[in-house]
Amino acid sequence: MSIQDANAGNAGDLLKHAILLELLGGIPGGEVWSYAETHAGAGLYARAHAAELLAAADSAAEGETGWRYATALAAGMRRADAGDLYVGSALLALLSGSIRGDALLVEFDPEVVTRLREGVDHVLASAAPRVRLAQGSFEDHLTEILAPQRLVLLADPYYYDSSAPDGQGGRMGKVHLQRIAGHLRGRDAVLLAFTSRAPRRPLRDAVPHPEETWRPLFADLDALAPSALRLFRVDGTPHALAAAGWGAGEQRVAGLPTAREWQASWIAKPPVGVRIVEEQRVAAERTES
Ligand SMILES: C[S@@+](CC[C@H](N)C(=O)[O-])C[C@H]1O[C@@H](n2cnc3c(N)ncnc32)[C@H](O)[C@@H]1O
């Protein structure tokens, strides 16, 4: 089992995918939005205790917070046949039925692209022709990623490092956020940006590496002044997801459920038990310090 498979469906994935699906559910049926991912992954992943997760998703009540995620996840797991596979972001987003435009999925690893192609063809069936896959580093594809007039963009690097000059090792930096925000300003768009812990460095490394890579992500996004900005975290873990909206994307971000609503959802209950919290005050903390 690869590292990606071993991590699939962890608390970070649940946070990312639950909020992604909630956001997509807020897109009015008559509007044509496109979808893109910078780090698309394999589409389907082996996951331990998948049956338990599927049963938990099936227990979600229609209309409750997180129900859209539960529905897409259960549909994807069943379509993937084996029942022991977790469904990644790209397939979940397209299973939501909310994306009526095209999709562009960028992935660096050629073997992972092959897996993703198989997953798209198998799980999405008739929607598969609207999905374009591009192999390479996300930074080399940003112009095409950012081209649509109405866009939901999932940026899912392993971690955010404000000073990173490139996408090496899957990281993302301020230089990329600036390019993304520069293009999305004046359009109808949402950027969901995930970050987790940076890889541990040897102790002799003089540069301290912060565990919480969400603080600089939130501060840098705040400085780029999207019309709406929120940040959700999984309590007690390094996983976080920022949602930034421009134009009509502002309403989509403002309409996301609150932490209190997430805490009443199936995701917070056993056996899943993921506690989603929301950060409000990074900008104020930054100016005070
Ligand atoms: C965490 S996985 C993606 C998971 C997926 N978005 C999901 O939520 O289901 C990160 C992926 O980024 C890919 N990757 C690493 N560096 C990259 C880069 N510079 N550009 C694009 N993809 C990259 C890795 O090969 C890996 O498949």
Side-chain angles (χ1 to χ4, degrees):
M1 188 188 277
S2 70
I3 293 174
Q4 269 196 56
D5 286 293
N7 289 332
N10 70 7
D13 272 359
L14 285 158
L15 167 82
K16 183 197 330 172
H17 299 158
I19 290 176
L20 171 64
L21 268 287
E22 207 65 44
L23 186 125
L24 291 169
I27 291 175
E31 294 181 3
V32 179
W33 287 64
S34 297
Y35 182 73
E37 293 200 8
T38 57
H39 300 65
L44 294 170
Y45 304 88
R47 185 201 195 265
H49 310 298
E52 214 172 54
L53 181 65
L54 181 57
D58 280 338
S59 76
E62 184 169 348
E64 78 164 58
T65 298
W67 175 73
R68 291 176 170 113
Y69 171 44
T71 305
L73 181 61
M77 288 176 86
R78 290 202 165 90
R79 279 193 210 177
D81 294 338
D84 56 355
L85 296 178
Y86 182 76
V87 186
S89 53
L91 298 182
L92 287 170
L94 293 155
L95 281 167
S96 73
S98 299
I99 296 298
R100 298 181 57 208
D102 293 337
L104 174 59
L105 308 175
V106 177
E107 165 58 47
F108 182 73
D109 183 332
E111 284 178 22
V112 176
V113 174
T114 303
R115 276 177 65 176
L116 182 58
R117 180 80 265 166
E118 287 167 6
V120 165
D121 290 345
H122 181 61
V123 172
L124 299 178
S126 64
R130 287 194 285 123
V131 181
R132 193 158 66 83
L133 269 52
Q135 189 267 316
S137 185
F138 71 92
E139 52 202 330
D140 298 329
H141 291 275
L142 274 182
T143 304
E144 4 163 24
I145 286 175
L146 298 166
Q149 279 303 317
R150 280 191 160 160
L151 177 68
V152 174
L153 170 59
L154 176 64
D156 187 14
Y158 289 115
Y159 65 102
Y160 181 74
D161 175 351
S162 189
S163 61
D166 55 38
Q168 215 183 344
R171 67 191 177 186
M172 182 173 264
K174 189 175 178 174
V175 66
H176 305 115
L177 283 189
Q178 284 169 331
R179 265 187 80 187
I180 291 169
H183 274 81
L184 298 186
R185 211 168 282 131
R187 302 195 186 183
D188 297 328
V190 175
L191 167 68
L192 291 178
F194 181 79
T195 188
S196 195
R197 181 192 288 131
R200 292 192 186 282
R201 306 253 170 110
L203 278 179
R204 64 177 178 279
D205 192 335
V207 184
H209 222 82
E211 293 254 312
E212 293 182 331
T213 55
W214 61 266
R215 284 182 195 274
L217 170 69
F218 204 22
D220 287 352
L221 268 173
D222 194 23
L224 294 168
S227 52
L229 179 61
R230 296 174 71 181
L231 185 131
F232 300 90
R233 286 193 298 119
V234 179
D235 201 24
T237 77
H239 310 302
L241 185 79
W246 289 265
E250 177 178 353
Q251 296 147 260
R252 310 284 94 82
V253 172
L256 285 170
T258 61
R260 185 188 285 266
E261 287 167 320
W262 284 116
Q263 279 153 34
S265 77
W266 69 277
I267 293 160
K269 292 179 191 144
V272 180
V274 168
R275 194 177 137 83
I276 296 178
V277 295
E278 184 171 359
E279 294 296 328
Q280 310 272 359
R281 301 295 307 263
V282 169
E285 281 171 20
R286 198 160 38 99
T287 41
E288 280 160 20
S289 60

